[in-house]
Amino acid sequence: MAGNNAKAGLSVVSKTVAILGAFSGERTELGLTELSHATGMPTSTVHRLVQELVQCGALERTATGRYVVGLKLWGIASRTPYSYALSDAAMPYLQQLLETTRGHAHLAALHGQSALVLEKLSWAESEQTISRIGSNLPLHATATGQVLLAYAPRALQEEVLAGPLPAFTSRTITDPLMFRRLLAMIRHQAVSRSLGELVPGLDACAAPVFWPDRQIAGSIGSVVVSGSCPPADLEAAVRKAAKGLSGFLESPDYGLGSRALFRPVLRPSHPPE
């Protein structure tokens, strides 16, 4: 079969790079057959290389048996001059958000069916925490995850809505119809509020950050102890931070290098309201 031999002359390194390069555009989660078609390599070859990539952390296997780019690979990429530009750009706005809310402020991006924490700041007196830099948060049970999913490709939305939507607390939304309505409301209001949906006693608010062409770059949010910050003040602070960062990304002062890294994972299926 000529198609299966198209990559026969490539080195192992070239074949590995071809597999990693298949994760582009809206193809953030792929199966073995899809990887075989995308690279032109036999499924057996792809399977062998993918298993090695999983073992070393470059790829991760999802609960459905598909694959996403792993945290180890993301960590290596984050050391390049351009890949951390978005996090660097967010720091002043995260700091301002932290000083206002005195809880936890974070920047996140879509990673498979999770929200990947790119940057996080915590108030010195904050005791409870639910994340760290490089950790993954569930999309359906966190404010930042809900924002990312609201602007994610429709195919991913349907995959998440198909469930299961595990309950972390009694407040976690597990009904697909209710969650679909929530995503529509988030797109309309450009903000998400999560009250004890992941951890009892912790409230969160998040808002989308956009590139100049109005595609989503990530979400910026805050987590506080319930009752420690008035909901209206929390939302206002988050909106201000997200608007400020989005505005900076439009300015000539911001380099466009990091956009090539983050854009493929975050292309939305719905334009912002």
Side-chain angles (χ1 to χ4, degrees):
M1 297 176 63
N4 285 341
N5 295 324
K7 304 294 182 179
L10 294 180
S11 67
V12 173
V13 172
S14 297
K15 291 176 182 178
T16 302
V17 171
I19 290 174
L20 296 176
F23 294 88
S24 61
E26 294 184 358
R27 300 185 302 179
T28 60
E29 185 174 327
L30 298 171
L32 289 176
T33 300
E34 294 168 305
L35 285 169
S36 178
H37 289 163
T39 61
M41 291 186 287
T43 304
S44 58
T45 301
V46 171
H47 180 267
R48 175 175 57 81
L49 293 174
V50 163
Q51 299 315 305
E52 293 184 16
L53 288 169
V54 169
Q55 289 177 11
C56 71
L59 292 180
E60 294 177 6
R61 193 170 187 269
T62 69
T64 59
R66 293 160 68 78
Y67 299 90
V68 296
V69 173
L71 290 179
K72 184 173 183 179
L73 188 61
W74 175 84
I76 294 173
S78 69
R79 298 171 194 155
T80 66
Y82 296 114
S83 62
Y84 54 72
L86 182 60
S87 294
D88 282 355
M91 287 304 293
Y93 306 98
L94 290 171
Q95 185 65 47
Q96 185 180 59
L97 179 59
L98 180 68
E99 293 174 357
T100 301
T101 62
R102 300 193 174 190
H104 306 277
H106 55 258
L107 174 74
L110 190 64
H111 180 260
Q113 291 194 13
S114 301
L116 175 65
V117 179
L118 301 178
E119 195 62 70
K120 179 184 177 183
L121 300 177
S122 296
W123 195 251
E125 287 74 24
S126 297
E127 296 181 358
Q128 288 182 289
T129 181
I130 59 174
S131 67
R132 65 183 186 279
I133 296 175
S135 64
N136 284 288
L137 298 174
L139 294 178
H140 75 288
T142 60
T144 189
Q146 291 167 0
V147 165
L148 293 172
L149 187 59
Y151 292 91
R154 190 174 299 278
L156 177 59
Q157 293 178 5
E158 295 303 325
E159 287 180 14
V160 174
L161 286 167
L165 300 175
F168 294 93
T169 73
S170 60
R171 291 177 175 266
T172 307
I173 299 177
T174 58
D175 179 77
L177 181 58
M178 290 181 60
F179 194 62
R180 191 183 296 275
R181 291 172 178 168
L182 174 64
L183 294 180
M185 183 173 68
I186 292 171
R187 290 193 295 272
H188 178 69
Q189 299 181 351
V191 71
S192 176
R193 311 164 193 84
S194 176
L195 308 180
E197 293 182 42
L198 183 63
V199 177
L202 291 182
D203 296 341
C205 183
V209 175
F210 296 105
W211 295 118
D213 58 8
R214 303 304 293 168
Q215 293 198 48
I216 192 169
S219 66
I220 194 168
S222 179
V223 179
V224 299
V225 174
S226 298
S228 65
C229 182
D233 293 348
L234 179 62
E235 180 178 331
V238 167
R239 285 185 179 276
K240 180 179 180 180
K243 182 179 180 180
L245 180 53
S246 294
F248 179 72
L249 296 182
E250 294 181 356
S251 72
D253 296 327
Y254 178 73
L256 299 180
S258 66
R259 297 178 63 182
L261 177 66
F262 289 101
R263 169 81 52 80
V265 181
L266 302 172
R267 191 180 304 280
S269 57
H270 302 277
E273 297 290 338

